[in-house]
mmCIF file of all heavy atoms in Angstrom:
data_model
loop_
_atom_site.group_PDB
_atom_site.id
_atom_site.type_symbol
_atom_site.label_atom_id
_atom_site.label_comp_id
_atom_site.label_asym_id
_atom_site.label_seq_id
_atom_site.Cartn_x
_atom_site.Cartn_y
_atom_site.Cartn_z
ATOM 1 N N ALA L 14 8.511 -1.632 3.660
ATOM 2 C CA ALA L 14 7.590 -2.580 4.274
ATOM 3 C C ALA L 14 7.438 -3.859 3.455
ATOM 4 O O ALA L 14 7.160 -4.925 4.014
ATOM 5 C CB ALA L 14 6.232 -1.916 4.467
ATOM 6 N N LEU L 15 7.620 -3.754 2.144
ATOM 7 C CA LEU L 15 7.448 -4.917 1.271
ATOM 8 C C LEU L 15 8.767 -5.583 0.882
ATOM 9 O O LEU L 15 8.758 -6.661 0.264
ATOM 10 C CB LEU L 15 6.710 -4.501 -0.017
ATOM 11 C CG LEU L 15 5.247 -4.103 0.134
ATOM 12 C CD1 LEU L 15 4.689 -3.600 -1.212
ATOM 13 C CD2 LEU L 15 4.414 -5.259 0.647
ATOM 14 N N SER L 16 9.873 -4.977 1.220
ATOM 15 C CA SER L 16 11.194 -5.427 0.734
ATOM 16 C C SER L 16 11.564 -6.844 1.152
ATOM 17 O O SER L 16 12.263 -7.559 0.418
ATOM 18 C CB SER L 16 12.282 -4.465 1.164
ATOM 19 O OG SER L 16 12.395 -4.414 2.568
ATOM 20 N N ALA L 17 11.081 -7.307 2.317
ATOM 21 C CA ALA L 17 11.413 -8.664 2.792
ATOM 22 C C ALA L 17 10.374 -9.691 2.334
ATOM 23 O O ALA L 17 10.438 -10.847 2.747
ATOM 24 C CB ALA L 17 11.497 -8.664 4.338
ATOM 25 N N LYS L 18 9.412 -9.256 1.506
ATOM 26 C CA LYS L 18 8.336 -10.142 1.045
ATOM 27 C C LYS L 18 7.600 -10.781 2.239
ATOM 28 O O LYS L 18 7.488 -11.994 2.352
ATOM 29 C CB LYS L 18 8.882 -11.224 0.098
ATOM 30 C CG LYS L 18 9.631 -10.636 -1.100
ATOM 31 C CD LYS L 18 10.406 -11.662 -1.886
ATOM 32 C CE LYS L 18 11.242 -11.001 -2.955
ATOM 33 N NZ LYS L 18 12.143 -11.931 -3.665
ATOM 34 N N PRO L 19 7.075 -9.925 3.144
ATOM 35 C CA PRO L 19 6.477 -10.431 4.376
ATOM 36 C C PRO L 19 5.130 -11.108 4.127
ATOM 37 O O PRO L 19 4.501 -10.901 3.101
ATOM 38 C CB PRO L 19 6.305 -9.143 5.195
ATOM 39 C CG PRO L 19 6.082 -8.089 4.153
ATOM 40 C CD PRO L 19 6.989 -8.470 3.018
ATOM 41 N N ARG L 20 4.684 -11.883 5.107
ATOM 42 C CA ARG L 20 3.361 -12.497 5.032
ATOM 43 C C ARG L 20 2.284 -11.514 5.464
ATOM 44 O O ARG L 20 1.119 -11.621 5.050
ATOM 45 C CB ARG L 20 3.299 -13.750 5.924
ATOM 46 C CG ARG L 20 4.043 -14.922 5.369
ATOM 47 C CD ARG L 20 3.574 -15.360 3.990
ATOM 48 N NE ARG L 20 2.125 -15.572 3.881
ATOM 49 C CZ ARG L 20 1.477 -16.653 4.286
ATOM 50 N NH1 ARG L 20 2.168 -17.685 4.810
ATOM 51 N NH2 ARG L 20 0.169 -16.774 4.160
ATOM 52 N N VAL L 21 2.658 -10.541 6.338
ATOM 53 C CA VAL L 21 1.689 -9.576 6.849
ATOM 54 C C VAL L 21 2.282 -8.173 6.711
ATOM 55 O O VAL L 21 3.478 -7.973 6.950
ATOM 56 C CB VAL L 21 1.360 -9.865 8.338
ATOM 57 C CG1 VAL L 21 0.553 -8.736 8.951
ATOM 58 C CG2 VAL L 21 0.647 -11.201 8.482
ATOM 59 N N VAL L 22 1.431 -7.216 6.328
ATOM 60 C CA VAL L 22 1.807 -5.814 6.352
ATOM 61 C C VAL L 22 0.750 -5.066 7.151
ATOM 62 O O VAL L 22 -0.459 -5.254 6.933
ATOM 63 C CB VAL L 22 1.872 -5.222 4.921
ATOM 64 C CG1 VAL L 22 2.163 -3.715 5.003
ATOM 65 C CG2 VAL L 22 2.932 -5.923 4.088
ATOM 66 N N VAL L 23 1.175 -4.238 8.109
ATOM 67 C CA VAL L 23 0.253 -3.380 8.847
ATOM 68 C C VAL L 23 0.544 -1.939 8.468
ATOM 69 O O VAL L 23 1.704 -1.537 8.353
ATOM 70 C CB VAL L 23 0.353 -3.592 10.381
ATOM 71 C CG1 VAL L 23 -0.129 -4.987 10.737
ATOM 72 C CG2 VAL L 23 1.779 -3.385 10.888
ATOM 73 N N ALA L 24 -0.526 -1.166 8.253
ATOM 74 C CA ALA L 24 -0.356 0.218 7.792
ATOM 75 C C ALA L 24 -1.328 1.111 8.528
ATOM 76 O O ALA L 24 -2.427 0.702 8.899
ATOM 77 C CB ALA L 24 -0.609 0.294 6.285
ATOM 78 N N SER L 25 -0.927 2.369 8.727
ATOM 79 C CA SER L 25 -1.782 3.335 9.418
ATOM 80 C C SER L 25 -1.496 4.758 8.925
ATOM 81 O O SER L 25 -0.343 5.121 8.664
ATOM 82 C CB SER L 25 -1.543 3.256 10.918
ATOM 83 O OG SER L 25 -2.385 4.185 11.618
ATOM 84 N N ASN L 26 -2.570 5.526 8.731
ATOM 85 C CA ASN L 26 -2.483 6.940 8.368
ATOM 86 C C ASN L 26 -1.829 7.218 7.015
ATOM 87 O O ASN L 26 -1.343 8.321 6.775
ATOM 88 C CB ASN L 26 -1.743 7.738 9.453
ATOM 89 C CG ASN L 26 -2.512 7.825 10.738
ATOM 90 O OD1 ASN L 26 -3.751 7.883 10.739
ATOM 91 N ND2 ASN L 26 -1.807 7.836 11.844
ATOM 92 N N ILE L 27 -1.812 6.229 6.142
ATOM 93 C CA ILE L 27 -1.118 6.410 4.855
ATOM 94 C C ILE L 27 -1.829 7.432 3.980
ATOM 95 O O ILE L 27 -1.198 8.088 3.138
ATOM 96 C CB ILE L 27 -0.974 5.088 4.099
ATOM 97 C CG1 ILE L 27 -2.331 4.426 3.852
ATOM 98 C CG2 ILE L 27 -0.032 4.143 4.826
ATOM 99 C CD1 ILE L 27 -2.282 3.216 2.937
ATOM 100 N N GLU L 28 -3.165 7.589 4.169
ATOM 101 C CA GLU L 28 -3.916 8.509 3.329
ATOM 102 C C GLU L 28 -3.616 9.977 3.653
ATOM 103 O O GLU L 28 -3.955 10.885 2.894
ATOM 104 C CB GLU L 28 -5.412 8.246 3.449
ATOM 105 C CG GLU L 28 -6.049 8.672 4.763
ATOM 106 C CD GLU L 28 -5.861 7.659 5.903
ATOM 107 O OE1 GLU L 28 -5.113 6.680 5.725
ATOM 108 O OE2 GLU L 28 -6.475 7.880 6.965
ATOM 109 N N LYS L 29 -2.944 10.200 4.772
ATOM 110 C CA LYS L 29 -2.697 11.554 5.269
ATOM 111 C C LYS L 29 -1.817 12.343 4.291
ATOM 112 O O LYS L 29 -1.986 13.563 4.121
ATOM 113 C CB LYS L 29 -2.027 11.501 6.634
ATOM 114 C CG LYS L 29 -1.832 12.836 7.314
ATOM 115 C CD LYS L 29 -1.274 12.647 8.717
ATOM 116 C CE LYS L 29 -1.070 13.975 9.431
ATOM 117 N NZ LYS L 29 -0.504 13.784 10.796
ATOM 118 N N TYR L 30 -0.876 11.662 3.634
ATOM 119 C CA TYR L 30 0.079 12.358 2.788
ATOM 120 C C TYR L 30 0.026 11.948 1.312
ATOM 121 O O TYR L 30 0.849 12.400 0.514
ATOM 122 C CB TYR L 30 1.503 12.117 3.298
ATOM 123 C CG TYR L 30 1.722 12.605 4.708
ATOM 124 C CD1 TYR L 30 1.907 11.691 5.749
ATOM 125 C CD2 TYR L 30 1.720 13.961 5.007
ATOM 126 C CE1 TYR L 30 2.087 12.139 7.052
ATOM 127 C CE2 TYR L 30 1.914 14.391 6.316
ATOM 128 C CZ TYR L 30 2.092 13.461 7.320
ATOM 129 O OH TYR L 30 2.267 13.917 8.608
ATOM 130 N N LEU L 31 -0.934 11.093 0.942
ATOM 131 C CA LEU L 31 -1.004 10.592 -0.423
ATOM 132 C C LEU L 31 -2.285 11.079 -1.099
ATOM 133 O O LEU L 31 -3.352 11.108 -0.482
ATOM 134 C CB LEU L 31 -0.970 9.053 -0.446
ATOM 135 C CG LEU L 31 0.249 8.385 0.164
ATOM 136 C CD1 LEU L 31 0.062 6.868 0.166
ATOM 137 C CD2 LEU L 31 1.535 8.767 -0.547
ATOM 138 N N ASP L 32 -2.178 11.407 -2.394
ATOM 139 C CA ASP L 32 -3.402 11.785 -3.124
ATOM 140 C C ASP L 32 -4.092 10.513 -3.635
ATOM 141 O O ASP L 32 -3.573 9.396 -3.469
ATOM 142 C CB ASP L 32 -3.081 12.752 -4.254
ATOM 143 C CG ASP L 32 -2.161 12.198 -5.328
ATOM 144 O OD1 ASP L 32 -2.168 10.967 -5.559
ATOM 145 O OD2 ASP L 32 -1.413 13.000 -5.940
ATOM 146 N N GLU L 33 -5.254 10.665 -4.225
ATOM 147 C CA GLU L 33 -6.044 9.509 -4.629
ATOM 148 C C GLU L 33 -5.326 8.641 -5.648
ATOM 149 O O GLU L 33 -5.387 7.412 -5.574
ATOM 150 C CB GLU L 33 -7.397 9.979 -5.192
ATOM 151 C CG GLU L 33 -8.366 8.830 -5.472
ATOM 152 C CD GLU L 33 -9.776 9.321 -5.795
ATOM 153 O OE1 GLU L 33 -10.011 10.551 -5.747
ATOM 154 O OE2 GLU L 33 -10.629 8.475 -6.104
ATOM 155 N N LYS L 34 -4.628 9.261 -6.570
ATOM 156 C CA LYS L 34 -3.884 8.507 -7.604
ATOM 157 C C LYS L 34 -2.786 7.667 -6.959
ATOM 158 O O LYS L 34 -2.585 6.503 -7.299
ATOM 159 C CB LYS L 34 -3.301 9.450 -8.633
ATOM 160 C CG LYS L 34 -2.548 8.737 -9.735
ATOM 161 C CD LYS L 34 -1.975 9.722 -10.748
ATOM 162 C CE LYS L 34 -1.171 9.004 -11.827
ATOM 163 N NZ LYS L 34 -0.569 9.983 -12.802
ATOM 164 N N GLU L 35 -2.059 8.279 -6.013
ATOM 165 C CA GLU L 35 -0.965 7.555 -5.332
ATOM 166 C C GLU L 35 -1.501 6.403 -4.499
ATOM 167 O O GLU L 35 -0.917 5.315 -4.466
ATOM 168 C CB GLU L 35 -0.175 8.534 -4.474
ATOM 169 C CG GLU L 35 0.624 9.537 -5.261
ATOM 170 C CD GLU L 35 1.108 10.712 -4.444
ATOM 171 O OE1 GLU L 35 0.575 10.969 -3.326
ATOM 172 O OE2 GLU L 35 2.045 11.414 -4.890
ATOM 173 N N LEU L 36 -2.664 6.607 -3.863
ATOM 174 C CA LEU L 36 -3.288 5.526 -3.075
ATOM 175 C C LEU L 36 -3.703 4.351 -3.951
ATOM 176 O O LEU L 36 -3.467 3.183 -3.639
ATOM 177 C CB LEU L 36 -4.520 6.057 -2.326
ATOM 178 C CG LEU L 36 -4.243 6.865 -1.054
ATOM 179 C CD1 LEU L 36 -5.534 7.535 -0.587
ATOM 180 C CD2 LEU L 36 -3.663 5.989 0.039
ATOM 181 N N LYS L 37 -4.303 4.661 -5.112
ATOM 182 C CA LYS L 37 -4.718 3.591 -6.009
ATOM 183 C C LYS L 37 -3.523 2.833 -6.567
ATOM 184 O O LYS L 37 -3.584 1.612 -6.733
ATOM 185 C CB LYS L 37 -5.559 4.203 -7.162
ATOM 186 C CG LYS L 37 -6.955 4.623 -6.745
ATOM 187 C CD LYS L 37 -7.786 5.135 -7.923
ATOM 188 C CE LYS L 37 -9.211 5.435 -7.482
ATOM 189 N NZ LYS L 37 -10.014 5.957 -8.620
ATOM 190 N N THR L 38 -2.441 3.554 -6.829
ATOM 191 C CA THR L 38 -1.214 2.886 -7.291
ATOM 192 C C THR L 38 -0.698 1.936 -6.228
ATOM 193 O O THR L 38 -0.320 0.789 -6.503
ATOM 194 C CB THR L 38 -0.137 3.929 -7.635
ATOM 195 O OG1 THR L 38 -0.598 4.736 -8.718
ATOM 196 C CG2 THR L 38 1.158 3.246 -8.067
ATOM 197 N N MET L 39 -0.679 2.413 -4.986
ATOM 198 C CA MET L 39 -0.196 1.605 -3.868
ATOM 199 C C MET L 39 -1.050 0.344 -3.708
ATOM 200 O O MET L 39 -0.524 -0.774 -3.516
ATOM 201 C CB MET L 39 -0.206 2.430 -2.583
ATOM 202 C CG MET L 39 0.478 1.793 -1.413
ATOM 203 S SD MET L 39 0.575 2.940 -0.007
ATOM 204 C CE MET L 39 1.839 4.090 -0.604
ATOM 205 N N PHE L 40 -2.362 0.499 -3.789
ATOM 206 C CA PHE L 40 -3.259 -0.662 -3.679
ATOM 207 C C PHE L 40 -3.044 -1.636 -4.827
ATOM 208 O O PHE L 40 -3.133 -2.862 -4.666
ATOM 209 C CB PHE L 40 -4.698 -0.212 -3.595
ATOM 210 C CG PHE L 40 -5.191 0.044 -2.212
ATOM 211 C CD1 PHE L 40 -4.792 1.193 -1.514
ATOM 212 C CD2 PHE L 40 -6.044 -0.839 -1.572
ATOM 213 C CE1 PHE L 40 -5.247 1.441 -0.217
ATOM 214 C CE2 PHE L 40 -6.500 -0.593 -0.269
ATOM 215 C CZ PHE L 40 -6.102 0.537 0.397
ATOM 216 N N GLY L 41 -2.735 -1.097 -6.015
ATOM 217 C CA GLY L 41 -2.452 -1.958 -7.151
ATOM 218 C C GLY L 41 -1.205 -2.804 -6.927
ATOM 219 O O GLY L 41 -1.209 -4.019 -7.262
ATOM 220 N N VAL L 42 -0.190 -2.224 -6.340
ATOM 221 C CA VAL L 42 1.032 -2.969 -6.009
ATOM 222 C C VAL L 42 0.720 -4.010 -4.951
ATOM 223 O O VAL L 42 1.167 -5.165 -5.023
ATOM 224 C CB VAL L 42 2.153 -2.022 -5.530
ATOM 225 C CG1 VAL L 42 3.382 -2.839 -5.120
ATOM 226 C CG2 VAL L 42 2.510 -1.009 -6.601
ATOM 227 N N TRP L 43 -0.051 -3.636 -3.939
ATOM 228 C CA TRP L 43 -0.435 -4.578 -2.904
ATOM 229 C C TRP L 43 -1.156 -5.778 -3.495
ATOM 230 O O TRP L 43 -0.913 -6.914 -3.104
ATOM 231 C CB TRP L 43 -1.304 -3.916 -1.847
ATOM 232 C CG TRP L 43 -0.554 -3.356 -0.712
ATOM 233 C CD1 TRP L 43 0.656 -3.785 -0.227
ATOM 234 C CD2 TRP L 43 -0.952 -2.278 0.157
ATOM 235 N NE1 TRP L 43 1.025 -3.023 0.870
ATOM 236 C CE2 TRP L 43 0.077 -2.112 1.114
ATOM 237 C CE3 TRP L 43 -2.064 -1.439 0.179
ATOM 238 C CZ2 TRP L 43 0.015 -1.119 2.117
ATOM 239 C CZ3 TRP L 43 -2.124 -0.460 1.171
ATOM 240 C CH2 TRP L 43 -1.107 -0.305 2.114
ATOM 241 N N ARG L 44 -2.050 -5.540 -4.430
ATOM 242 C CA ARG L 44 -2.778 -6.661 -5.033
ATOM 243 C C ARG L 44 -1.830 -7.627 -5.737
ATOM 244 O O ARG L 44 -2.015 -8.843 -5.712
ATOM 245 C CB ARG L 44 -3.837 -6.154 -5.980
ATOM 246 C CG ARG L 44 -4.904 -5.340 -5.267
ATOM 247 C CD ARG L 44 -6.263 -5.390 -5.964
ATOM 248 N NE ARG L 44 -7.250 -4.680 -5.145
ATOM 249 C CZ ARG L 44 -7.838 -5.180 -4.088
ATOM 250 N NH1 ARG L 44 -7.575 -6.434 -3.704
ATOM 251 N NH2 ARG L 44 -8.726 -4.467 -3.383
ATOM 252 N N MET L 45 -0.781 -7.086 -6.326
ATOM 253 C CA MET L 45 0.216 -7.918 -6.971
ATOM 254 C C MET L 45 0.971 -8.749 -5.945
ATOM 255 O O MET L 45 1.141 -9.966 -6.122
ATOM 256 C CB MET L 45 1.214 -7.048 -7.738
ATOM 257 C CG MET L 45 2.342 -7.810 -8.408
ATOM 258 S SD MET L 45 3.694 -6.736 -8.949
ATOM 259 C CE MET L 45 4.543 -6.448 -7.353
ATOM 260 N N THR L 46 1.390 -8.141 -4.840
ATOM 261 C CA THR L 46 2.163 -8.862 -3.838
ATOM 262 C C THR L 46 1.282 -9.837 -3.051
ATOM 263 O O THR L 46 1.760 -10.898 -2.641
ATOM 264 C CB THR L 46 2.886 -7.894 -2.861
ATOM 265 O OG1 THR L 46 1.945 -7.095 -2.168
ATOM 266 C CG2 THR L 46 3.848 -6.985 -3.636
ATOM 267 N N VAL L 47 0.016 -9.462 -2.831
ATOM 268 C CA VAL L 47 -0.900 -10.394 -2.144
ATOM 269 C C VAL L 47 -1.043 -11.680 -2.961
ATOM 270 O O VAL L 47 -1.007 -12.781 -2.436
ATOM 271 C CB VAL L 47 -2.292 -9.725 -1.944
ATOM 272 C CG1 VAL L 47 -3.354 -10.791 -1.657
ATOM 273 C CG2 VAL L 47 -2.233 -8.726 -0.818
ATOM 274 N N SER L 48 -1.201 -11.512 -4.266
ATOM 275 C CA SER L 48 -1.350 -12.673 -5.156
ATOM 276 C C SER L 48 -0.081 -13.530 -5.198
ATOM 277 O O SER L 48 -0.152 -14.751 -5.176
ATOM 278 C CB SER L 48 -1.726 -12.187 -6.548
ATOM 279 O OG SER L 48 -1.799 -13.267 -7.452
#
């Protein structure tokens, strides 16, 4: 989803298969790409 360096990312149901640590890591990466 991030490979093309898009302006918008839409996501759904990601918490279904990820634990809290994995979610926080993902959000950390998102904050980097948002910036």
Side-chain angles (χ1 to χ4, degrees):
L15 291 175
S16 62
K18 303 169 186 174
R20 288 301 308 279
V21 171
V22 176
V23 293
S25 180
N26 292 327
I27 58 172
E28 73 278 8
K29 185 175 180 181
Y30 300 111
L31 302 176
D32 62 30
E33 188 170 356
K34 181 180 178 182
E35 290 165 342
L36 282 169
K37 286 183 176 179
T38 298
M39 190 174 288
F40 270 74
V42 177
W43 268 333
R44 296 208 175 279
M45 178 194 78
T46 61
V47 163
S48 176

